[in-house]
Amino acid sequence: MRIEGKEYRTIWFENNVVKIIDQTKLPHQFIIKDLKTIKDSINAIKVMEVRGAPLIGATAAYGLVLAIIENDDQSFLKKSAEDLINSRPTAINLKWAVERMMNKLLGVNSDQILKIALNEANEICEEDIKFCKNIGLNGLKIIEEIYNKKKNTVNILTHCNAGWLATINWGTATSPIYHAHKKGIPVHVWADETRPRNQGANLTSYELNEEGIKNTIITDNTGGILMQRGEVDMCIVGTDRTLANGDVCNKVGTYLKALAAHDNKIPFYVALPSSTIDWNIKNHKDIPIEERNSEELSHMEGLDEKGDIKKIQIYPKKSKAMNLAFDVTPAKYVTGLITEKGVCEASEKGLKDLFK
Ligand code: MRU
């Protein structure tokens, strides 16, 4: 997708270096950063220079390529894989990508291993782009249906950033929106700010602006009243881990939006590539929910009057704060799952009919 009219992907490999867009600096500064070592890759995931389930999977895949360039010893590779998986706990794509890479790399000779690793990491990215594009085409039909009935701008609420910045290109939740816009369907997006890291304001609104899509940032608590007023036609969010029974784990606050949508009879869709499905965990209580540093709540970053990025404290120093990063929306509140293979019911049968 475009930034200032120029096409980008979120990650690419060039001259033995992994290039990323540093998302901690967006929207104020657009910086392309080099990852040169496995340590750089793990750090980029931890501090969220890259974030979003598919993108952290891709970063981990390229991280293993960098590990091999540093040291092609198999025990170094195994330790790197383990460290990558532990760098963020909730999004299943991370483990999925590392395991996919390791299945190709374990026991491979030194003269072959780099080529195989790079091919597989590239393939993970190409596949994600293809899947996200198909998610867009499948979700487009739903937006089109609403537009054909309404004959007016379709208002879509989204939470966090499940945009192209969270994937390699297109995004998951935003892909149907980009496809609708390209087809000339008038769309407007309510972008939940998404405290504490403000991915909705800083990333979703930013990337929609760059593509010329109308959007409005709202606080995380505003969606309910907009739904009661009839100003939301549908919700589309992404997910970090969807269970085989259709329960959806996503950025904290998603659950409350789904409850409000249910109460107001507004369709609530979740968009995901199959790499985000966890076929093993049966109970959502077993999903590891990331708890991040409480400083993300008590401090805020923004531009000062000189145009420099500055961090300030906004809470009383003595106050305790808790920062759970994800929650789970039970399948019963999800109208449908928009996947690369089609739209299905959020249920074991729905997912199995499409994927097994
Ligand atoms: O903490 P983040 O910014 O990595 O959280 C991202 C989300 O919750 C996204 O909705 C999810 O990863 C889906 S990305 C297509």
Side-chain angles (χ1 to χ4, degrees), residues 48 51-54 88 160-162 166 172 199 239-240 250-251 326:
M48 295 174 65
R51 28 68 51 204
R88 282 194 78 188
C160 194
N161 173 262
T172 57
Q199 291 96 324
T239 166
D240 290 83
N250 190 45
K251 179 56 56 197
F326 297 94

Side-chain angles (χ1 to χ4, degrees), residues 96 100 123-138 167 169-172 175 179 272-276 338-342 355:
W96 169 87
R100 176 166 160 172
E123 185 50 35
I124 284 174
C125 291
E126 292 308 321
E127 193 181 277
D128 190 68
I129 294 171
K130 198 169 81 192
F131 286 1
C132 286
K133 189 170 177 190
N134 286 340
I135 288 169
L137 293 169
N138 293 328
T167 64
N169 213 340
W170 291 108
T172 57
S175 187
H179 281 85
L272 65 142
S274 48
S275 52
T276 306
I338 308 172
T339 77
E340 75 268 18
K341 287 205 176 176
F355 290 102

Side-chain angles (χ1 to χ4, degrees), residues 47-182:
V47 305
M48 295 174 65
E49 288 166 350
V50 287
R51 28 68 51 204
L55 180 56
I56 59 181
T59 309
Y62 281 125
L64 290 174
V65 174
L66 294 175
I68 291 166
I69 294 171
E70 271 177 271
N71 178 351
D72 64 16
D73 177 69
Q74 288 267 321
S75 58
F76 184 69
L77 187 63
K78 282 187 202 156
K79 172 80 174 71
S80 302
E82 213 175 283
D83 292 347
L84 280 165
I85 289 177
N86 292 331
S87 58
R88 282 194 78 188
T90 303
I92 188 78
N93 305 58
L94 188 53
K95 187 164 173 272
W96 169 87
V98 170
E99 284 176 356
R100 176 166 160 172
M101 292 289 290
M102 292 306 277
N103 282 340
K104 294 269 172 175
L105 301 175
L106 283 179
V108 172
N109 291 336
S110 296
D111 53 339
Q112 287 289 317
I113 195 161
L114 180 57
K115 191 168 162 240
I116 293 175
L118 189 54
N119 277 346
E120 196 61 18
N122 288 338
E123 185 50 35
I124 284 174
C125 291
E126 292 308 321
E127 193 181 277
D128 190 68
I129 294 171
K130 198 169 81 192
F131 286 1
C132 286
K133 189 170 177 190
N134 286 340
I135 288 169
L137 293 169
N138 293 328
L140 166 64
K141 293 178 201 149
I142 303 169
I143 299 178
E144 239 173 348
E145 245 172 61
I146 295 174
Y147 176 65
N148 288 340
K149 275 195 209 140
K150 195 183 173 195
K151 302 278 185 241
N152 210 335
T153 302
V154 181
N155 289 302
I156 303 168
L157 184 142
T158 191
H159 189 69
C160 194
N161 173 262
W164 75 269
L165 289 167
T167 64
I168 316 304
N169 213 340
W170 291 108
T172 57
T174 56
S175 187
I177 299 169
Y178 288 131
H179 281 85
H181 179 71
K182 278 187 196 300

